[in-house]
Amino acid sequence: MANKNRLLSIFMFSLAVTACGGGGDSGSGAPTNPTNPTNPTTPTNTLDDEFGLWLTDLSEKVILIGYQGLEQSAEAMLGASESFCALSSPVSSNLNDLRGSWSELNASWQQIQWLKVGPIVEQSRLFRMQFWPDANDAVGRGVDNLLLEPSITVELVAQQNVGAQGIPALEYLLFAASTDSLLSAADKDKRCDAVQSIAGNIKNMATDVYTGWQASGGNYTGQLTQGTGDFTSRKDAVEEVVTNWLEQIEKVKDEKMLKPLADAAPGLPNIAEFALSQDSLASVKLNLASFAAIYSAGDGHGFDDILKDHLEQTSLADNMQAKLDAAIASAGGLQGDYADLLNDEAARTTIAETIQAVREVRDLLTADFVQTLDINIGFNSNDGD
């Protein structure tokens, strides 16, 4: 009986150990614990943090670089004007070189033309840099009045009406008809003085704006990225900048493309942004490229990253990029003088398609984009449709 009881005890102990996981092929023979499931990682950044990252990269990779380029091209334009005006008998090739410097200056400006916060809006610099649209010929009247002055200096130009001070004023002088050309006009020396003084005024403004954004200067970058100074928060800064973006979209769509297209050929080429120099189309293409740079923060931490990684809205992010790419590609199909394109039916169709592509960017921006990011955009007086 004792042996039976002992065997029964061993048997019951074996059952208990097996039930507790003591059997099996474990090397240690110790019971194993089940692995706890891993919880999904949740984003540690807030949307405000994400806005800060976008504002920082936008400032460093788009705005500062844009204003630095503007200052450099303005300095080059000033040097080119001084070199041209020092020639005793300039010829057409010399004038074409000077015009090329103007086109480079305008190209730099077009890439940052969209921004309307900070030093560029102080002291009316935005309008002094480029007054356009110009329905009342403020540029022509301003430059003509400037030429009546006995002596033209940079300081005098800075006190004139806005039409006489900026990039369009230079265009008016550099691309004038032969009777008013810098090569043959009776007052060509006075016109050279005006070109140099206007270029100097633009250079001074460009330097002031670039300095105002730098940390070693006015540090407007700090205000924008932190949402201080002119802004009540980072979200407020984002809303202001996105409103600037929207206003430029509308300006490109309506003022630069839709109105010159008009209802039928030959369109209205004389009201295009740069009718004299025929830089209108090049400017539009640069504007569209700037929209993509705003969206991606210059390939930094862009809205695409915020939408995909933080808000998990990959479809919206890809859709916005696709709309921007489509507008850029459509405009890329336009080659030649804008006036000629406005008078060509096939080209007019492409212009209309580009306008529609820009409109689709606008529509997405003002609906799903701002709703998903929970931002409000300000009133936009440029909206024509």
Side-chain angles (χ1 to χ4, degrees), residues 8 26 32-33 42 52 106 108 127 156 171 193 213 215 231 243 268 293 295 313 316 318 362 369 383:
L8 180 60
S26 171
T32 57
N33 295 320
T42 57
N106 178 54
S108 295
F127 298 109
L156 177 67
E171 182 199 30
D193 290 342
W213 275 91
F231 310 102
T243 297
L268 298 171
Y295 180 61
Q313 295 291 329
L316 174 58
D318 290 344
R362 185 276 313 271
F369 182 83
D383 189 359

Side-chain angles (χ1 to χ4, degrees), residues 25-226:
D25 297 325
S26 171
S28 64
T32 57
N33 295 320
T35 303
N36 292 327
T38 302
N39 293 325
T41 302
T42 57
T44 57
N45 274 5
T46 65
L47 186 55
D48 185 71
D49 293 331
E50 293 290 308
F51 284 160
L53 293 172
W54 177 75
L55 289 167
T56 297
D57 279 354
L58 182 75
S59 297
E60 294 178 355
K61 300 177 182 293
V62 178
I63 298 173
L64 280 168
I65 290 176
Y67 282 134
Q68 181 183 39
L70 179 64
E71 183 192 36
Q72 291 172 344
S73 61
E75 185 174 9
M77 177 69 220
L78 176 59
S81 68
E82 292 171 344
S83 297
F84 175 88
C85 292
L87 296 172
S88 57
S89 300
V91 295
S92 295
S93 60
N94 302 131
L95 181 57
N96 287 337
D97 289 342
L98 184 59
R99 289 171 171 174
S101 293
W102 177 89
S103 291
E104 291 175 4
L105 169 62
N106 178 54
S108 295
W109 169 243
Q110 292 296 327
Q111 295 174 67
I112 197 66
Q113 183 191 51
W114 62 273
L115 190 61
K116 298 178 183 177
V117 297
I120 192 65
V121 297
E122 297 170 4
Q123 301 178 23
S124 299
R125 291 190 186 106
L126 182 66
F127 298 109
R128 291 166 60 202
M129 189 68 73
Q130 183 190 12
F131 185 74
W132 186 83
D134 182 16
N136 295 318
D137 193 28
V139 172
R141 289 184 292 104
V143 174
D144 289 345
N145 289 335
L146 180 65
L147 292 172
L148 297 175
E149 296 288 343
S151 177
I152 302 175
T153 64
V154 174
E155 293 74 22
L156 177 67
V157 168
Q159 298 169 3
Q160 301 301 299
N161 73 58
V162 294
Q165 292 198 37
I167 293 171
L170 282 180
E171 182 199 30
Y172 183 82
L173 288 164
L174 296 182
F175 296 88
S178 57
T179 54
D180 294 326
S181 168
L182 290 173
L183 297 177
S184 56
D187 61 345
K188 63 181 182 180
D189 290 340
K190 176 65 73 67
R191 288 174 179 271
C192 248
D193 290 342
V195 168
Q196 293 177 86
S197 297
I198 294 170
N201 180 58
I202 292 172
K203 165 61 170 62
N204 289 345
M205 288 192 290
T207 297
D208 289 342
V209 172
Y210 181 44
T211 300
W213 275 91
Q214 295 179 78
S216 58
N219 194 25
Y220 199 82
T221 297
Q223 290 190 40
L224 184 71
T225 57
Q226 298 302 317

Side-chain angles (χ1 to χ4, degrees), residues 239-251:
E239 290 174 338
E240 186 66 29
V241 172
V242 172
T243 297
N244 289 176
W245 181 15
L246 173 61
E247 289 174 346
Q248 184 74 350
I249 290 173
E250 297 289 6
K251 189 172 187 177

Side-chain angles (χ1 to χ4, degrees), residues 308-327:
K308 290 180 179 179
D309 300 335
H310 186 77
L311 298 174
E312 299 181 349
Q313 295 291 329
T314 299
S315 178
L316 174 58
D318 290 344
N319 195 16
M320 176 61 82
Q321 187 65 61
K323 297 293 186 186
L324 291 166
D325 291 344

